[in-house]
Amino acid sequence: MRVLLISCYELGHQPLHVASAAAFLRVAGHDVSAVDLSVQRLDEADIDAPGLVAIAVPMHTAMRMAVPVARAIRARRGPDVRIVLFGLYAPLCGPALESGLVDALVGGEYEQALAGIADGIPDPRTIVLDRLRFPLPARDLLPPLDRYTRLRIHGEERLTGYVEATRGCVHRCRHCPVPAVYDGRIRVWQRDALVADVVRLWEAGMRHLTFGDPDFLNAVPHALAVARAVHEQCPQLTFDVTTKVEHILEHPGVVAELRDLGLLFIVSAVESTSPRVLEILDKGHSADDVLSALRICRSLGIELRPSLLPFTPWGTLRDQVDLLDLIADNDLIDSVDPVQLSIRLLVPPGSLLLALPEMREHLRGYNSESFSHLWQHPDPMMDALQAEIAALVAVDADAGVAPRSTHAAIRHLTAQAAARAGLRWPGADRALPSQRDVPPRLTEPWFCCAEPTTAQLAGSGVSLGS
């Protein structure tokens, strides 16, 4: 069968989810093509020939972009094509789509299930957690690495690749969609296939690697074995990982060894400085723990890049002020992408938060377009502030405004809100600290649970079926 795989967005990276699915489909004997709408247009793909079109939805931004794409293809092809959504958000959000738009949904370890759909023997499960053996991803179907995000360091930019050592997560942070699918389990990529893929990326010019695991230190022995094997094959390669604050505190020696193997920075889900918010989210750390993790990282010469969730039903304006002060006081301005300061809690179907009375009292229905249960903050000023910051960040991101300028504007908006509320903020008018040597970072400024910008939606080529 002819199969078209579509990626909408994978945080600016060459889409591993499409490359991996394509490899399984090829092994099964299918004729596979692919298009990545983050750097290509839908009209660059032949959508009239495939009997199956599968769209990757590994994150919220991708899910939001996938729906108009699916509608455009359905409008053009009608019942002559099967449309499948695959990835983390498919089983969570897909059931709310209009009848007849998609024919199948598969999340978790989706590759073999996709091949089964193409073979005409679909798996009835929408969440598949089988242990798979991975062939080399079919990266030849994708645009080259120079079309994607790069590492910016010391005034230069380096081609960047993306792999995953594990999927799923052993933790059950209540706001995260991963536990709704993996339920505290992880699945691993076999080390030999992963290292062979990294070597191939190195030969294609990659000089920095992102390990995109939800938490790279979920399985410390596997993580170290992978990092050591990659370093042995590509000793000049640098990399970044994502891991929880508590793992940094538990394993400083492991972090030190990863530094020696090429680790430049860690992304960690700090989320908030509010004890109440952190407790409700079941994050397993405190604001003081964040500062301890920051000290560990800086003592090792590793950058800590926090990801944040500043707007929840339980966060207050004082929490917002405290968060901005933590960022400024600890010289983190250049380590926090402005979009992080705009994130509003998403509550997708299956979210663990839905079981909490603290969440249910704030719910106001379900929005099938945003794939989230709606909630309202008890203080209308907080919802208004979030909307203002989100609009500012999206416009600045599309326009290429310097992140420090956006940070300053966010502080100004927050100061105005504090003044209206009569909240004293001694640091409201202070200038941001002088810019230090710019820490290593990727050039992609967006985040997996952010709403797509106007430019991202416009770039997806959804006018094809109109």
Side-chain angles (χ1 to χ4, degrees):
M1 174 180 284
R2 297 188 68 172
V3 181
L4 172 64
L5 298 175
I6 298 176
S7 174
C8 296
Y9 184 68
E10 287 196 20
L11 291 176
H13 294 289
Q14 190 186 59
L16 174 63
H17 292 264
V18 161
S20 180
F24 276 78
L25 286 159
R26 278 179 166 176
V27 168
H30 299 285
D31 180 7
V32 187
S33 59
V35 62
D36 179 4
L37 301 185
S38 71
V39 297
Q40 298 172 297
R41 292 188 61 82
L42 191 57
D43 55 19
E44 294 181 50
D46 180 1
I47 70 165
D48 291 327
L52 174 65
V53 173
I55 307 173
V57 288
M59 59 194 66
H60 174 77
T61 310
M63 186 72 205
R64 290 277 284 109
M65 298 170 70
V67 174
V69 173
R71 287 172 180 158
I73 294 171
R74 183 64 76 198
R76 184 180 180 97
R77 295 286 309 278
D80 295 334
V81 64
R82 299 197 75 197
I83 299 177
V84 177
L85 299 184
F86 69 96
L88 184 67
Y89 271 78
L92 301 181
C93 302
L97 295 172
E98 62 262 34
S99 177
L101 180 60
V102 299
D103 298 287
L105 307 163
V106 58
E109 306 301 283
Y110 49 77
E111 286 93 343
Q112 196 62 58
L114 276 179
I117 292 170
D119 289 338
I121 46 173
D123 191 316
R125 296 172 293 175
T126 58
I127 295 177
V128 178
L129 296 178
D130 298 343
R131 290 176 169 85
L132 305 178
R133 289 206 62 84
F134 292 91
L136 275 175
R139 296 185 183 272
D140 58 291
L141 293 176
L142 302 171
L145 291 178
D146 62 12
R147 301 286 299 278
Y148 294 96
T149 189
R150 300 176 184 228
L151 175 75
R152 188 169 288 157
I153 184 171
H154 303 321
E156 65 169 301
E157 292 186 354
R158 300 176 185 172
L159 295 186
T160 298
Y162 178 94
V163 298
E164 295 173 349
T166 59
R167 290 177 178 165
C169 189
V170 301
H171 302 282
R172 297 176 60 82
C173 301
R174 294 189 179 106
H175 63 302
C176 179
V178 175
V181 173
Y182 282 88
D183 194 24
R185 287 165 285 192
I186 63 171
R187 296 292 181 261
V188 303
W189 281 68
Q190 290 76 36
R191 189 167 69 245
D192 54 350
L194 192 156
V195 173
D197 189 33
V198 172
V199 169
R200 187 177 53 172
L201 287 166
W202 175 269
E203 292 170 347
M206 175 194 69
R207 293 299 178 263
H208 181 80
L209 179 68
T210 291
F211 283 99
D213 311 39
D215 195 311
F216 188 67
L217 296 183
N218 266 325
V220 170
H222 178 65
L224 281 176
V226 165
R228 291 164 181 164
V230 166
H231 182 72
E232 181 177 356
Q233 293 296 317
C234 307
Q236 302 304 312
L237 180 68
T238 60
F239 62 93
D240 65 87
V241 304
T242 296
T243 195
K244 285 172 67 68
V245 167
E246 65 187 76
H247 287 322
I248 298 172
L249 301 181
E250 290 168 349
H251 304 294
V254 171
V255 175
E257 180 175 351
L258 292 175
R259 184 273 317 274
D260 294 339
L261 296 173
L263 176 64
L264 289 181
F265 64 87
I266 294 173
V267 177
S268 192
V270 168
E271 313 298 24
S272 175
T273 59
S274 163
R276 183 163 188 255
V277 171
L278 293 172
E279 180 182 7
I280 290 173
L281 299 182
D282 196 16
K283 285 303 302 175
H285 70 250
S286 67
D288 287 341
D289 290 336
V290 172
L291 297 179
S292 296
L294 179 62
R295 286 192 291 270
I296 290 171
C297 288
R298 286 185 170 166
S299 72
L300 295 170
I302 295 169
E303 189 69 21
L304 182 68
R305 298 189 63 85
S307 63
L308 304 173
L309 181 56
F311 292 98
T312 70
W314 319 285
T316 65
L317 188 56
R318 169 56 66 187
D319 294 332
Q320 167 76 357
V321 166
D322 289 345
L323 181 60
L324 293 179
D325 279 347
L326 179 142
I327 292 168
D329 292 345
N330 293 281
D331 202 12
L332 286 167
I333 296 290
D334 299 305
S335 300
V336 175
D337 288 321
V339 68
Q340 297 292 342
L341 293 169
S342 74
I343 300 297
R344 191 175 196 270
L345 174 67
L346 285 169
V347 188
S351 171
L352 303 186
L353 286 170
L354 293 171
L356 296 184
E358 295 92 335
M359 183 77 251
R360 292 199 298 268
E361 67 179 301
H362 299 289
L363 292 178
R364 299 294 185 270
Y366 179 76
N367 187 324
S368 59
E369 290 297 317
S370 65
F371 303 107
S372 183
H373 291 270
L374 302 178
W375 57 268
Q376 186 175 355
H377 198 283
D379 180 358
M381 183 178 292
M382 291 300 292
D383 285 338
L385 178 61
Q386 189 277 331
E388 287 183 296
I389 292 175
L392 166 74
V393 168
V395 170
D396 281 7
D398 282 347
V401 173
R404 288 181 71 86
S405 296
T406 307
H407 270 275
I410 290 170
R411 289 182 68 89
H412 179 66
L413 288 175
T414 304
Q416 290 180 321
R420 290 193 297 270
L423 176 66
R424 185 172 178 271
W425 183 13
D429 296 325
R430 74 174 180 178
L432 293 178
S434 300
Q435 183 167 345
R436 60 189 170 105
D437 291 338
V438 179
R441 56 160 295 169
L442 300 180
T443 56
E444 174 64 27
W446 218 239
F447 191 56
C448 57
C449 62
E451 290 294 315
T453 69
T454 301
Q456 287 172 330
L457 284 173
S460 63
V462 297
S463 62
L464 184 64
S466 60

